[in-house]
Every structure is written in C-alpha cells, then in structure tokens.
Amino acid sequence: MPTPDFIVELRQKIGQDSLWLAGATAVVLRDEQVLLVRRADNGRWTPITGIVDPGEEPAVTAIRECQEETGVICAVEGLAWVKAGAEKAFPNGDRCTFLDHTFRCRWVSGEPVVNDDESSEVGWFPLDDLPPIAEELLLRIRMAVDFDGRTRFVASQDSAG
C-alpha cells in the first residue's frame, strides 16, 4: 500500500515517532450486501478504508477511496461512528494512531474490480455471511448498518460507544 506523500514528508522530519492521522471507512451497502476488499499487504478482508489527505473532508475521502480501490461509485448517507484506535506499529517501525470516521454509504453505480495495487480481491458479501474479518472492522460495519441518523462516539475512557 503506497504511503501518501504528505506522510513521507512528515517522516523525513519526525522519523518513526507516532503520528495522529484522520482515517475514513466507507461501509458501502447494496441490498443486504456490503462491499469488501481483500488487502494485498496482509490478505485480510476489510471495508474500504483510507487516510484523509490534508484539507480533505473525511466523507470525500470515503468516496474517493471507494472509487480508487474498487471502481464503485458510492454516496455517503451519514457519519455512523467516530472512534480513535489504538496505536499501530508497522513492520518498518513507523507508528501512528488513526481517528476513524465510519460512513454509511450506498452503492450508486459500477461493479467492483481490483482497481489498484492495495487490494487482491473485491466483492459484495451478504451481511449474514461475511468472510473472516477483524472484530474492530465488524463493529464498523455493524455501526453503519444500524445507523439511525445519530453518530455514535465514545464520550469517556470507560465507554465503548
């Protein structure tokens, strides 16, 4: 997965110190199915995710990443969940923490194809028959599916959302 240029430039200044980055997750729904990608770097199935570019709106990131990764055009219906993740350490030693914005999105047009080198497979999966997927990502999907117009968030260190 290519590292965005702005992060490469930051890393030249701060080395491998932890970065605080905004991320976006597009949970794209069509009928009773969700669009998933199999990541090329680790083989895991995920909804569409990406890093918000400087000055970019997170909802725009969700739409852009969906089109870049799958060729599918989606529309954002709402912000379902905002959640800070745990710090991640990458094999090269870089560290970062993501503030994820999970959006409920609807399919507008296009059929999924592997559209870049970040994914090895893409496809629609029935919500009641998903491939193995990390619990953290299942929770994002659930939050988007159950979205009732109210954004979920954690309001204290002791709360789960």
Side-chain angles (χ1 to χ4, degrees), residues 29-137:
L29 303 169
R30 178 174 77 175
D31 302 319
E32 293 297 313
Q33 300 177 81
V34 63
L35 182 60
L36 299 177
V37 300
R38 184 187 290 260
R39 293 174 51 116
D41 61 350
N42 63 20
R44 295 185 180 142
W45 287 101
T46 73
I48 293 32
T49 61
I51 297 171
V52 179
D53 289 338
E56 185 177 41
E57 295 293 334
V60 172
T61 302
I63 293 166
R64 174 181 56 78
E65 289 286 345
C66 183
Q67 186 171 12
E68 287 177 1
E69 293 182 16
T70 71
V72 168
I73 306 297
C74 71
V76 170
E77 294 184 323
L79 177 60
W81 197 31
V82 177
K83 175 89 170 76
E87 184 178 75
K88 293 186 178 198
F90 293 89
N92 68 356
D94 290 351
R95 297 184 338 269
C96 65
T97 301
F98 290 97
L99 176 64
D100 180 69
H101 302 79
T102 297
F103 293 96
R104 178 187 172 110
C105 301
R106 67 177 163 75
W107 172 84
V108 173
S109 66
E111 288 305 316
V113 294
V114 174
N115 213 32
D116 63 17
D117 60 357
E118 293 183 37
S119 306
S120 61
E121 293 179 69
V122 299
W124 294 106
F125 290 85
L127 289 167
D128 60 359
D129 190 23
L130 298 177
I133 189 167
E135 186 60 37
E136 160 194 346
L137 297 169

